[in-house]
Amino acid sequence: MRPRGLVSQPLPAGPLPLSRRRVLALAALAPAAGAGLAACTPGSGSDGPDPLIALARQARDDVDLITATVTAAPALGDRLTPARTARADHAAALEAEVARVAGGTPASAAPATSAPANPATPATTKAVTDALRASAEAAAKLVPTMEAARVGLVAGVVACCATYAEVLS
């Protein structure tokens, strides 16, 4: 017995049209699919050094370069301090994640100094934007290889570095 008011219609031939409801349902499933794919990515369980160690070191180097730039040109302090703070936060978060996975306590990737990592690099706004772009690119290359639990952290580094590089250029 068919419920009253329901009319059986044949399914259309070919692909189903995308209604707003179907698009929303697909959008709701996308994070779960992404997490599943990230967990299956080759190299996500490698025995080599944790790739976040290099990102943390790069974040500390960016902090050092920004500090040297502000020291050389104090007028840039207001403009560069937010990027310096963000990169210091990145270093701390990346180091904490490395320690969490290793089962220990966070340790600094490199001792913080007030000089740029590469003394040949002049402390300028252009040097800072170039360093931030390099940091964004390095982190972006890691995103496809990260486990689902780490993707957000690394993608956040990419977005933040790319944004500051664009704002400062």
Side-chain angles (χ1 to χ4, degrees), residues 66-133:
I66 294 169
T67 300
T69 303
V70 170
T71 301
L76 294 174
D78 289 344
R79 191 162 185 226
L80 297 178
T81 297
R84 178 175 51 194
T85 302
R87 293 304 282 148
D89 291 347
H90 292 160
L94 291 163
E95 291 163 355
E97 175 61 13
V98 169
R100 183 192 68 79
V101 169
T105 58
S108 178
T113 63
S114 59
N118 181 0
T121 302
T124 64
T125 305
K126 177 159 178 12
V128 171
T129 58
D130 290 346
L132 291 171
R133 281 191 180 100

